[in-house]
């Protein structure tokens, strides 16, 4: 859950904040209004776990403000295996969203529930992963690769445990 009122105007526009609902729906249909990569993230998680998915799908709906315009987006990505849902990514990017956070729930043995209050700031996190991935990418084989094809990216040189 992201409170986009505390983020850059480009992100607010990307999630349709302030748009009339018909314009919001038009942009969703054109695929110009969405958080790019949510369904792809679900598929990458499944790939990393060695799961063979039957299907994955994405939904995008407006979160409606008190004045009847869009306050932001509620987007989900779901994935199924063996007839049951095994992954759910639920993203809400809304002006004034209460209790912004990143939360990971794993229903397993043992169950895991991790909450990062306030959430991880996306722009800073993206910059950090790009910078920290430089040594790994430089050493990578040629070709089109995903994060699943690369060794673990970190801010440390794993061979020496020293900061890079």
């Amino acid at each position: 859950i992201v409170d986009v009122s505390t983020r850059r105007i480009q992100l607010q526009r990307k999630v349709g904040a302030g748009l009339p609902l018909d314009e919001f729906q038009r942009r969703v249909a054109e695929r110009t209004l969405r958080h790019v990569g949510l369904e792809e993230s679900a598929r990458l998680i499944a790939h990393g776990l060695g799961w063979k998915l039957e299907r994955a799908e994405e939904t995008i709906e407006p979160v409606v403000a008190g004045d009847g315009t869009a306050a932001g987006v509620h987007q989900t990505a779901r994935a199924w295996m063996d007839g049951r849902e095994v992954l759910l990514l639920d993203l809400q990017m809304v002006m004034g969203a209460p209790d912004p956070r990143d939360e990971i729930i794993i229903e397993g043995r043992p169950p895991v529930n991790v909450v990062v209050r306030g959430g991880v700031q996306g722009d800073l996190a993206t910059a950090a992963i790009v910078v920290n991935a430089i040594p790994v990418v430089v050493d990578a084989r040629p070709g089109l690769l995903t994060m699943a094809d690369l060794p673990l990216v970190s801010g440390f040189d794993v061979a020496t445990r020293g900061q890079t």
Side-chain angles (χ1 to χ4, degrees), residues 5-71:
S5 70
T6 65
R7 303 291 178 88
R8 57 191 166 83
I9 191 70
Q10 294 89 341
L11 182 60
Q12 294 172 21
R13 288 184 184 132
K14 175 179 147 177
V15 299
L19 288 178
L21 297 181
D22 59 340
E23 177 68 10
F24 182 100
Q25 295 296 0
R26 183 182 69 76
R27 292 185 187 185
V28 168
E30 293 173 345
R31 296 188 56 83
T32 60
L33 191 152
R34 63 190 288 257
H35 177 68
V36 176
L38 198 64
E39 181 180 335
E40 295 81 356
S41 293
R43 290 179 181 278
L44 190 59
I45 291 167
H47 174 76
L49 292 169
W51 293 354
K52 302 294 183 221
L53 298 177
E54 293 171 356
R55 65 186 171 103
E57 66 183 39
E58 184 175 61
T59 63
I60 303 172
E61 299 294 331
V63 176
V64 181
D67 65 358
T69 62

Side-chain angles (χ1 to χ4, degrees), residues 62-132:
V63 176
V64 181
D67 65 358
T69 62
V73 67
H74 182 200
Q75 188 171 338
T76 63
R78 291 181 155 83
W80 286 264
M81 260 182 17
D82 301 323
R84 68 182 187 93
E85 185 177 282
V86 293
L87 280 173
L88 167 63
L89 303 182
D90 187 317
L91 177 64
Q92 299 172 50
M93 301 179 87
V94 181
M95 294 290 285
D99 191 22
R101 66 190 181 278
D102 287 333
E103 185 170 4
I104 301 168
I105 301 169
I106 301 173
E107 296 173 359
R109 286 189 164 161
V112 176
N113 188 345
V114 176
V115 178
V116 179
R117 295 280 169 218
V120 176
Q121 213 285 349
D123 292 337
L124 295 175
T126 299
I129 193 68
V130 167
V131 168
N132 288 318

